[in-house]
Amino acid sequence: MELNNQPQPEVYSDKILDKTEGEGIDFVKQQHQIQIEDPDSWQNEEANHNFILASADALINWSRASSVWPVNAGLACCAFEMISTASSRFDISRFGMEIFRPSPRQADLLIVNGTLTWKMAPQLKRIYEQMAEPKYVIAMGSCAISGGLFRNSYAVVPGVNKIIPVDVYIPGCPPRPEALLYGIQMLHKKIKKQKNFEKRKSA
Amino acid sequence: MALKTETFLVNAGPQHPSTHGVFRMRFILDGEVIQDVEPVFGYLHRGIEKLAEGLTYSQDMVFTDRLDYLASMTNNQAYAVAVEKLAGIQVPERAEYLRVIMAELMRISSHLMGVGFLTNDIGAFLTPLLYMYREREKILDLFDMVCGQRLTYNYMRIGGVSQDIPEEFLPALKKFIDTLPRFIQEYEQLLATNEILLVRTKNVGILTKEAAINYSTAGPVLRASGVKWDIRKAEPYSVYSRFNFEIPTGSKGDVYDRYRIKIEEMKQSIGIIKQAMEQLPQGEIQAKIPKVLRPPKGEAYGRIEGPKGELGFYLVSDGATNPYRLHIRPPSLLNLTPLRELVIGVKIADAMAIFGSIDICMGEVDR
Amino acid sequence: MTVELQAAEIAAKLEAALPGCTIESSGNTIVIKDEFVLKAATFLKNTAGLDFNYLNFLTATDYQTYFEVIYDLVSLEHNHKLVLKVKLNNREKPELASVTGVWKGADFQEREIFDLFGINFTGHPNLKRIFLWEGFQGYPLRKDFKQ
């Protein structure tokens, strides 16, 4: 038995990989110049009046809200305030959220923290699309809300809501861990008002 | 029967639990052994050098916080030193001592993070990191007392610092500094004789002395390879010439040496803070400069020793209120230059340990 | 304490070894002609007594009629430094020889200058965009860049 020790041919050309990536980025930049609507119609809806469905809804929503698992997609400085929130002082584990999944397929929540550039935008869109329903997005920090300090730059997306729909906005530069916990409680309020047995509008 | 093998491409993509920020590496692997690696940057390129030409010198201080976001105080100090060299401003003594205290506290905090994330990459998932976080929270409480912020301070100004310290700061600092050596001893007990750590870090990723100098590395990476070069001793800025401290140097240049140097530097920083607290004079905290600063025509390069290496700002002025050109010498980008040479031929698990030991921060690499 | 060398004496030594290469020298800065970059770099690195083995940083500035590339050199043994500058007058297709053969730390910095200014470095092993993506139009740090 001999191993094939000859030099391998050039299978992966980095120039072709770079070129396809560049075309993808230009495509995203062209398509996503206007803001996506915030999914906040839940604030005006009424509560469920059907007795059986209401209690089933309450049970499902309570179990979903008590164990929201985030994806760790930290981009820049605000990521360190998120890691501080997950550490032992501002414990996020008391809300059931200490498991940060590296894979988006096993997660419910995408916390976008840090500046989003056009080069990173297709990757963020891909992470969002890989998550399974029901999924939520929190935009943390002023760079994620509107571009922040770097809004006039040639390479920065002016706000994450141009690429993916956002549920909760948390302002600050960076927001304190207590502010992030308050934003997460607002998200729990939203989850508890969901109706699970009606036809849902696709995202 | 002949067995045929093929190489394949693995993408350690921008979103990955083990990369320190948005950094992408394209590996070409043959089994578990790396044949070639290509690092791809730019996922956090915000164009700071271009944006800085649109704001005045004092307003540009806010951009410097966001460069290396784990060590904002030293970034502020580097920019202030560069502008003061360009415009010829003299900083009062009390402000210099306060700057030194803040910079050394920042160095301790950044090294705690560096060691914590290195052990995270090796496989001790979160336990040493959460212990180091305990100390870091105490340091962030001290900074909160002084300037109200936990991460991006914007504390230093051109010509001094922005606010004086409150009365409860010095007693709290003394209490913290007195108890810190015991905690560092606790971390050494936890990690220094641990067999897994020793096997995974000794003789891994050796960077020779000539290579380290040729690749323009700086900071702990250069000192671990045996070169005794520290800007605080080579070109003393601020009041560092008045303190007694040593520069720890490694001998072999492997991952274990880079980890040991960070622990030793923390001990030296404690000594500097004690001396600065004793010598702290009374006085003003900011020099008198005009409201809108117009430095004379010319150029200047000011540099300091940051926790990750030499951080420098190159400024060109044409007499206007905005800088004509601002260039940042990024220590993390230059420390990453030997990555390709270090990583070819080792297994992919070792590559993560080598990358973690170089200790980068993506805000500085991409600017 | 780092000593900033007087450019005039170093310029005299350079002129003796490579005649015709210096244009002017003042303070701690020497300006040389762009054809001589590689030879001057090798001379400054290998001469005993100068020993500039550490390239501190490498960057460029746009002065509207010409580009200027700046090399900041340090010697770790003798603790002295020097600044070397090159002026490029061709704004359509600026070109310069790459010094990655002399100091390997110039690798990423030359790619950054190519990305943001458009200066082509001949002899670089892997010259392509580093911070912006393939297909980006224009060079952002030039003074006439419109987005």
Side-chain angles (χ1 to χ4, degrees):
Chain A
M1 228 166 29
E2 320 143 359
L3 291 172
N4 187 0
N5 279 334
Q6 281 139 21
Q8 304 291 342
E10 179 79 35
V11 197
Y12 300 106
S13 159
D14 57 329
K15 300 236 172 357
I16 300 181
L17 285 171
D18 281 340
K19 195 152 161 295
T20 32
E21 189 190 352
E23 285 165 7
I25 296 170
D26 280 331
F27 179 72
V28 167
K29 188 168 178 181
Q30 234 180 332
Q31 297 282 331
H32 290 269
Q33 291 287 345
I34 49 172
Q35 181 185 336
I36 302 181
E37 289 269 340
D38 294 333
D40 56 1
S41 53
W42 59 277
Q43 285 169 330
N44 299 328
E45 280 171 7
E46 292 180 352
N48 221 337
H49 289 298
N50 183 333
F51 174 63
I52 297 175
L53 287 183
S55 40
D57 257 345
L59 181 65
I60 293 177
N61 287 340
W62 170 80
S63 66
R64 274 188 183 152
S66 313
S67 71
V68 184
W69 287 353
V71 161
N72 59 3
L75 301 172
C77 350
C78 283
F80 276 91
E81 290 295 46
M82 183 173 76
I83 297 177
S84 289
T85 317
S87 303
S88 16
R89 189 180 181 185
F90 305 100
D91 204 5
I92 208 177
S93 170
R94 48 194 163 140
F95 298 102
M97 294 169 72
E98 89 269 9
I99 306 186
F100 278 75
R101 314 300 306 186
S103 157
R105 297 211 188 264
Q106 301 160 356
D108 307 309
L109 171 65
L110 176 66
I111 306 186
V112 184
N113 35 30
T115 321
L116 183 69
T117 55
W118 285 115
K119 195 167 180 181
M120 185 70 193
Q123 325 281 356
L124 189 74
K125 197 166 160 56
R126 189 188 279 184
I127 295 177
Y128 179 71
E129 285 170 359
Q130 280 182 340
M131 288 162 69
E133 291 274 348
K135 54 191 175 184
Y136 309 99
V137 175
I138 291 185
M140 176 178 173
S142 56
C143 288
I145 297 177
S146 71
L149 191 54
F150 305 102
R151 195 186 165 87
N152 298 330
S153 167
Y154 49 85
V156 166
V157 179
V160 158
N161 54 15
K162 305 240 178 335
I163 312 274
I164 52 181
V166 175
D167 292 307
V168 177
Y169 296 90
I170 304 181
C173 191
R176 285 189 68 110
E178 291 98 336
L180 177 61
L181 290 175
Y182 183 67
I184 287 177
Q185 284 176 325
M186 290 176 69
L187 183 70
H188 287 174
K189 240 196 274 184
K190 167 171 182 170
I191 297 177
K192 288 193 172 132
K193 262 201 171 181
Q194 265 184 301
K195 300 198 176 62
N196 297 306
F197 295 103
E198 285 177 2
K199 251 195 162 46
R200 300 223 275 139
K201 298 190 276 274
S202 55
Chain B
M1 189 170 67
L3 192 67
K4 201 167 79 114
T5 60
E6 248 182 42
T7 54
F8 58 95
L9 174 80
V10 164
N11 186 24
Q15 188 255 338
H16 186 226
S18 184
T19 58
H20 301 239
V22 280
F23 178 60
R24 180 178 179 193
M25 289 190 274
R26 288 189 198 136
F27 293 112
I28 297 195
L29 298 176
D30 177 18
E32 279 260 333
V33 176
I34 298 178
Q35 307 279 10
D36 197 2
V37 66
E38 190 199 336
V40 182
F41 310 110
Y43 292 97
L44 197 58
H45 177 70
R46 301 171 277 198
I48 288 184
E49 296 188 358
K50 180 90 185 175
L51 285 175
E53 293 172 9
L55 297 178
T56 66
Y57 285 92
S58 319
Q59 288 173 329
D60 277 337
M61 186 68 88
V62 292
F63 285 126
T64 58
D65 279 321
R66 276 93 184 153
L67 284 177
D68 174 7
Y69 32 83
L70 286 177
S72 299
M73 287 284 190
T74 43
N75 298 349
N76 284 350
Q77 189 180 15
Y79 180 66
V81 161
V83 177
E84 282 151 16
K85 196 168 169 185
L86 181 68
I89 299 173
Q90 188 72 15
V91 180
E93 288 247 329
R94 187 175 167 87
E96 294 278 26
Y97 276 92
L98 285 177
R99 279 186 181 180
V100 166
I101 293 178
M102 299 302 162
E104 293 306 315
L105 275 176
M106 202 78 244
R107 196 181 307 268
I108 297 176
S109 162
S110 176
H111 282 322
L112 281 171
M113 287 288 100
V115 172
F117 279 105
L118 169 65
T119 48
N120 209 18
D121 286 345
I122 286 180
F125 182 65
L126 283 191
T127 307
L129 180 66
L130 285 181
Y131 274 88
M132 314 256 171
Y133 242 97
R134 186 182 55 180
E135 304 315 308
R136 184 167 182 251
E137 290 288 332
K138 292 183 192 160
I139 297 182
L140 295 187
D141 272 345
L142 287 170
F143 285 140
D144 200 354
M145 211 188 286
V146 171
C147 59
Q149 251 281 11
R150 279 165 54 97
L151 202 73
T152 52
Y153 311 107
N154 196 13
Y155 177 60
M156 312 215 180
R157 298 278 182 269
I158 299 174
V161 296
S162 67
Q163 295 166 26
D164 208 346
I165 50 176
E167 300 157 347
E168 53 268 11
F169 180 75
L170 282 174
L173 180 62
K174 186 162 177 13
K175 189 167 155 208
F176 172 67
I177 289 288
D178 286 338
T179 55
L180 188 61
R182 182 170 72 81
F183 288 120
I184 297 187
Q185 178 71 17
E186 192 182 288
Y187 303 144
E188 285 198 62
Q189 228 174 340
L190 194 68
L191 294 172
T193 47
N194 186 327
E195 241 184 84
I196 300 180
L197 186 86
L198 291 178
V199 163
R200 279 205 71 169
T201 56
K202 279 203 184 230
N203 293 329
V204 170
I206 297 183
L207 185 65
T208 56
K209 191 169 171 179
E210 292 76 31
I213 297 178
N214 208 353
Y215 276 109
S216 302
T217 52
V221 176
L222 184 65
R223 290 198 278 276
S225 298
V227 182
K228 202 161 182 159
W229 178 253
D230 187 325
I231 305 290
R232 294 177 290 174
K233 291 274 196 202
E235 188 180 355
Y237 54 96
S238 188
V239 288
Y240 275 104
S241 41
R242 302 186 198 174
F243 301 125
N244 292 336
F245 60 100
E246 286 169 9
I247 306 174
T249 325
S251 52
K252 232 192 293 188
D254 55 4
V255 171
Y256 184 71
D257 273 346
R258 286 177 221 135
Y259 149 77
R260 271 261 37 109
I261 282 201
K262 294 194 173 99
I263 306 256
E264 296 297 322
E265 280 191 6
M266 280 200 270
K267 295 180 187 164
Q268 296 297 321
S269 289
I270 296 177
I272 297 180
I273 295 180
K274 279 191 184 145
Q275 293 172 47
M277 276 202 306
E278 284 163 24
Q279 299 176 17
L280 183 66
Q282 300 294 326
E284 298 179 344
I285 50 165
Q286 200 171 5
K288 294 257 178 307
I289 55 171
K291 214 163 178 145
V292 181
L293 183 66
R294 279 173 214 264
K297 253 189 167 177
E299 55 187 49
Y301 176 62
R303 56 184 179 165
I304 63 147
E305 178 76 20
K308 300 192 163 60
E310 172 191 332
L311 175 65
F313 280 79
Y314 171 71
L315 281 165
V316 176
S317 145
D318 59 348
T321 52
N322 301 353
Y324 189 78
R325 170 91 171 106
L326 170 76
H327 175 72
I328 303 159
R329 183 216 186 261
S332 300
L333 179 69
L334 296 177
N335 286 350
L336 266 188
T337 323
L339 181 73
R340 189 163 178 269
E341 184 188 294
L342 285 176
V343 148
I344 286 184
V346 300
K347 296 204 169 64
I348 196 168
D350 285 336
M352 288 306 170
I354 295 173
F355 177 65
S357 75
I358 298 183
D359 193 19
I360 63 164
C361 185
M362 283 317 280
E364 206 169 44
V365 172
D366 285 338
R367 279 160 284 139
Chain C
M1 189 68 195
T2 307
V3 173
E4 298 201 354
L5 289 181
Q6 287 305 318
E9 11 176 306
I10 315 288
K13 285 189 193 167
L14 256 182
E15 198 63 41
L18 306 158
C21 79
T22 54
I23 300 182
E24 58 172 310
S25 63
S26 63
N28 64 339
T29 312
I30 305 183
V31 184
I32 62 172
K33 292 202 185 121
D34 39 347
E35 307 77 76
F36 285 97
V37 157
L38 203 48
K39 293 200 187 112
T42 328
F43 174 76
L44 286 171
K45 183 178 175 193
N46 295 333
T47 314
L50 293 180
D51 285 319
F52 286 110
N53 54 0
Y54 188 76
L55 173 72
N56 210 0
F57 68 89
L58 163 59
T59 184
T61 315
D62 180 5
Y63 285 108
Q64 265 137 12
T65 47
Y66 61 95
F67 289 118
E68 190 175 80
V69 178
I70 300 137
Y71 299 80
D72 188 287
L73 307 171
V74 169
S75 163
L76 296 182
E77 253 180 70
H78 309 290
N79 202 357
H80 55 227
K81 64 196 284 240
L82 182 72
V83 175
L84 199 65
K85 285 192 185 175
V86 177
K87 290 197 172 135
L88 298 170
N89 289 316
N90 187 354
R91 276 195 77 94
E92 302 305 313
K93 293 186 62 145
E95 265 192 15
L96 193 57
S98 160
V99 293
T100 38
V102 183
W103 300 291
K104 287 194 236 173
D107 192 349
F108 288 155
Q109 302 187 82
E110 288 184 347
R111 277 176 70 179
E112 178 189 342
I113 300 178
F114 170 67
D115 191 5
L116 299 173
F117 283 96
I119 300 179
N120 195 5
F121 286 92
T122 52
H124 192 278
N126 189 14
L127 192 70
K128 51 181 189 172
R129 284 202 186 254
I130 185 173
F131 291 136
L132 296 167
W133 59 93
E134 199 71 34
F136 186 86
Q137 303 293 332
Y139 299 107
L141 276 181
R142 289 193 182 185
K143 293 287 177 186
D144 49 5
F145 173 74
K146 295 258 177 302
Q147 47 178 359

